[in-house]
Amino acid sequence: MTTNRGMKLKRRGDGLAGIVANVVSHVVVWGGALLILLPFIWMLLTSFKQPAAVFEYPPRWIPKPFVIGNYTEALNALPFNRFLLNTAFVATLVVLGQVISCSLGAFAFAKLRFPGSDLLFSMYLATLMVPEIVTIIPNFVLMRFLHWIDTYQALIVPSFFGTAFGTFFLRQFFLTFPDELLDAAKIDGCGVLTTIYRIVIPLSKPALVSLAIFVLVKVWNDFMWPLTVINSTEKKTLAIGLASFQGLIVSNWGVIMAGAVYTMLPLVAMFVFAQRYFIQGIALTGMK
């Protein structure tokens, strides 16, 4: 009897400890999420404020009154639609190029055996340690030599043929593929490209979508490189256009925040649409 009673008390204690741990973990996660979201919530609420209300002290979170006109003024202040089309055009081509190029390179490093493959991959991976800012001047000199300054080619081509991060990311996913599956494809007469197209790509949607989201966010928010190679207004991207707001609309931070919301909305929509694949890609990459 005493033993049974002790076991029941122990189980009850374990159950209570599990509930407490579950509550604490949820509080920590929701608290961290709230801290991350606070700047975005402030940006969204500021986009509905009048200029004088932005600098009120103590700060007021809820705008009074709500100013919807900031969004209209943000669209009219600059050719915002043109900036959006430029960014979408450049981002789409760069994402397609990197997904295709990184897939080919990652499959070669993961499944094809050739002399020096490990050394070559290590050297390629070492380029991740080179700061991107260091390569701006050599790339600019190359663009000027090719007469690509102030052209879409300067925005697309340097990032089109893959990156070390994308190749490494997909390689870790491709390593999880069983060799027997690829051997069966080879027996059926499939070449390397046919195997990639008919077997590897359909089974790699989560990883490919994850890579596409990473590349899209980087290209969408890229500021320094477009600022370096683009001069004309009709070829500017959203990041440069948003920075131009601070020069044209100095005092109205509500309009500037409205422009920031416009810039962020496509990325949020893309993530919500591809969230399931993104989580699967991150969870499965690197699992052997």
Side-chain angles (χ1 to χ4, degrees), residues 198-212:
R198 293 187 177 274
I199 297 176
V200 176
I201 297 300
L203 296 177
S204 305
K205 288 181 181 179
L208 296 177
V209 171
S210 300
L211 177 62

Side-chain angles (χ1 to χ4, degrees), residues 22 63 80 86 92 113 118 133 138 144 149 164 167 194 218 226 239 245 249 258 266 269 272 285:
N22 193 25
F80 208 85
N86 290 339
T92 300
R113 298 291 177 260
D118 293 336
I133 193 70
R144 188 178 62 177
I149 298 298
T167 304
T194 305
K218 182 183 182 302
F245 271 48
I249 309 172
V272 171
T285 298

Side-chain angles (χ1 to χ4, degrees), residues 32-44 61:
L34 181 61
L35 287 176
I36 294 174
L37 289 175
L38 274 178
F40 298 99
I41 295 173
W42 181 260
M43 176 188 70
L44 179 62
W61 281 85

Side-chain angles (χ1 to χ4, degrees), residues 74-252:
L75 291 177
N76 295 332
L78 290 171
F80 208 85
N81 292 332
R82 182 66 184 181
F83 297 159
L84 178 62
L85 288 176
N86 290 339
T87 307
F89 173 69
V90 172
T92 300
L93 291 182
V94 171
V95 168
L96 288 176
Q98 288 214 21
V99 168
I100 294 173
S101 301
C102 291
S103 298
L104 297 176
F107 184 81
F109 284 124
K111 294 300 181 182
L112 301 183
R113 298 291 177 260
F114 54 91
S117 60
D118 293 336
L119 177 61
L120 182 61
F121 179 71
S122 299
M123 295 174 60
Y124 188 41
L125 203 61
T127 60
L128 287 173
M129 295 184 288
V130 180
E132 190 174 352
I133 193 70
V134 175
T135 63
I136 284 185
I137 293 179
N139 286 335
F140 176 80
V141 173
L142 179 60
M143 295 300 105
R144 188 178 62 177
F145 175 78
L146 296 174
H147 303 287
W148 284 358
I149 298 298
D150 199 28
T151 63
Y152 291 114
Q153 295 94 303
L155 295 175
I156 298 170
V157 174
S159 302
F160 187 85
F161 295 102
T163 59
F165 169 77
T167 304
F168 170 75
F169 183 82
L170 292 182
R171 175 184 178 271
Q172 297 306 110
F173 187 84
F174 291 162
L175 285 174
T176 63
F177 277 43
D179 292 334
E180 293 79 7
L181 180 64
L182 304 180
D183 292 339
K186 187 183 298 184
I187 293 174
D188 288 340
C190 295
V192 175
L193 293 180
T194 305
T195 301
I196 295 174
Y197 177 71
R198 293 187 177 274
I199 297 176
V200 176
I201 297 300
L203 296 177
S204 305
K205 288 181 181 179
L208 296 177
V209 171
S210 300
L211 177 62
I213 291 177
F214 281 125
V215 176
L216 176 65
V217 171
K218 182 183 182 302
V219 176
W220 198 274
N221 295 325
D222 193 13
F223 175 77
M224 187 58 67
W225 180 244
L227 182 66
T228 304
V229 297
I230 297 300
N231 301 321
S232 57
T233 303
E234 62 271 11
K235 293 186 178 66
K236 287 184 178 180
T237 58
L238 275 175
I240 307 177
L242 186 61
S244 303
F245 271 48
Q246 298 181 3
L248 296 177
I249 309 172
V250 178
S251 59
N252 197 339

